[in-house]
Each structure stands twice: as structure tokens, then as C-alpha cells.
Amino acid sequence: MGTVEAANKDANGSLLEKNPSVVFVLGGPGSGKGTQCANIVQNFGYTHLSAGDLLRAEIKSGSENGTMIQNMIKEGKIVPSEVTIKLLQKAMQESGNDKFLIDGFPRNEENRAAFEKVTGIEPAFVLFFDCPEEEMERRLLSRNQGREDDNIETIRKRFKVFLESSLPVINYYDAKGKVRKIDAARPIEEVFETVKAIFGPKNDKVISVLVACSIVSHFVIIV
């Protein structure tokens, strides 16, 4: 255990030396997080890390850790926060960057507390893509990507889980003035114009209006 703990401390120390800027990206399924993250990466030099993608990649790698994750998901168990956080730490360390978009994490208050405790990093802010359930449902049903979870019953369950588990996280950071709420129901180009105002040169008036808006992850993994 000592070796593992030492390795974690080394990873944390290296990350903190870089003084990384972390932005949590939250929003319901179909809110457009992925599209906007790609735009932010292209225009502002961030590294995009998806907790779900990292877990799926670990499973596909065939590693002992990946097998453990896969078995937990098959048994309907929750993947411990520490497992996901270690994957995020590793990806951050290997990227060589100091600016990160962490997409779909934290999914709940326990995730949030564990991330800050393990990494010693508090996010610069939370980018929250607020989109009506009806619009997210329409998008998910029309995208036709062949995902098993893109049926109406499962979609509505995912909405419910997102709202119930994400609300405490959003409220926690909102109380600290760290939530940047985006009206994600608009066309992609219009949404990105608002995003640019947040990531571009500081515009205090725009930011203050966004911050004034208040708000909406038990770790559910869709594999």
C-alpha cells in the first residue's frame, strides 16, 4: 500500500506544481456538452477529459483494473470515485497540459468531495449546460447513434438520475459563485458565442450576469 500511496502523492505533487486550471463540465444527456467541449479545445487549448470515456478505455485495455471496473458495472455496482479520479489524474499528468475540461464529473456530491480531497484541486468554475428535458429528449432520439440507452424509457431515467445527483454539486459551487450557466437549447453557434465570452479575455459584466444565474453526478456509467 505504501508504494501506491507514494505514487499518488507524487502524481498529486506534479499536478499541483503545474497549478492546473480545471473546469467541470456538467449538463444532462443531450445538452451538447461534447460538441461545445470540442469547440473549447480547438479555440482555447484545453485538454478534454471524459470520465466515462476513460473508464471505457480502461475496460477495453484488458488491464486488471479494467476487468475490475467491467465486473463492477456488470454487477450493477457503483465504480468508486477513487478509481475514476486515479484515471483522471493519470490522463492529466500524461497530457502535459495545465488546462482541463472534465466532462460528466463529478456526478454527485461524493464524487466532488473525493476529487478535491484526492487531488487537492478545486475547479476554476463549473460550466453548466442548461437545457429543457424536452429538447434533450428530442436530440437523443434523433441522433440515431445506435446506442442501447437511446430509447425513451432509459433516456427519462437518465434525466432523473442527472437531476437528482447533480443538483447538490451545482448548488455547492453556485454558492461559491463558480457556476457559469449556459442556455444550451439554442443553436450550436449561439451557444458557443456565450461560451467564448467565458473562456476569452475576461469580461466582468458578462461573467457577473452569468454567475448571477442560479440553477441543474451516484456515478452511473453507460457503457
Side-chain angles (χ1 to χ4, degrees):
M1 288 295 292
T3 303
V4 175
E5 288 174 1
N8 285 339
K9 286 179 181 177
D10 287 344
N12 287 346
S14 299
L15 283 173
L16 291 173
E17 282 174 16
K18 293 196 296 184
N19 191 26
S21 176
V22 170
V23 175
F24 288 149
V25 182
L26 297 178
S31 61
K33 298 190 308 295
T35 298
Q36 295 302 328
C37 280
N39 286 336
I40 295 166
V41 168
Q42 184 176 356
N43 288 270
F44 299 104
Y46 278 73
T47 294
H48 177 207
L49 300 177
S50 163
D53 287 350
L54 289 173
L55 286 164
R56 285 186 280 269
E58 190 69 14
I59 291 171
K60 287 182 180 178
S61 74
S63 70
E64 185 177 340
N65 194 40
T67 301
M68 179 272 291
I69 294 169
Q70 185 174 39
N71 289 338
M72 291 192 73
I73 293 172
K74 282 183 178 178
E75 292 170 11
K77 296 180 180 178
I78 298 165
V79 178
S81 297
E82 288 74 12
V83 172
T84 307
I85 291 166
K86 285 177 183 176
L87 292 175
L88 287 167
Q89 282 180 296
K90 181 181 178 185
M92 291 168 73
Q93 192 67 41
E94 292 177 348
S95 74
N97 199 354
D98 61 357
K99 299 192 297 184
F100 302 96
L101 301 172
I102 297 185
D103 176 8
F105 187 93
R107 288 179 181 265
N108 58 30
E109 182 64 10
E110 192 272 333
N111 282 173
R112 179 204 65 74
F115 181 87
E116 292 189 10
K117 180 179 178 181
V118 172
T119 66
I121 298 169
E122 188 171 323
F125 58 89
V126 174
L127 193 63
F128 171 53
F129 288 93
D130 185 28
C131 192
E133 187 172 320
E134 297 77 14
E135 175 62 17
M136 291 191 287
E137 186 176 298
R138 184 193 67 76
R139 292 175 181 178
L140 290 173
L141 290 173
S142 66
R143 71 184 185 182
N144 192 27
Q145 292 182 347
R147 283 178 54 164
E148 293 179 2
D149 53 328
D150 280 355
N151 63 74
I152 192 67
E153 183 178 343
T154 306
I155 285 171
R156 287 176 179 170
K157 285 181 182 177
R158 290 167 68 200
F159 288 153
K160 187 172 185 290
V161 169
F162 170 75
L163 289 172
E164 289 177 351
S165 31
S166 293
L167 186 58
V169 177
I170 296 293
N171 286 340
Y172 175 85
Y173 287 118
D174 189 46
K176 293 189 165 203
K178 288 195 168 192
V179 171
R180 309 293 186 262
K181 184 180 177 183
I182 304 288
D183 176 3
R186 298 169 297 160
I188 292 171
E189 296 77 11
E190 289 184 25
V191 172
F192 189 54
E193 286 302 313
T194 305
V195 169
K196 283 195 294 186
I198 293 171
F199 284 88
K202 297 300 181 185
N203 185 324
D204 293 337
K205 290 184 179 179
V206 172
I207 295 296
S208 63
V209 170
L210 291 167
V211 174
C213 301
S214 68
I215 333 357
V216 199
S217 232
H218 224 101
F219 202 89
V220 176
I221 304 299
I222 306 297
V223 179

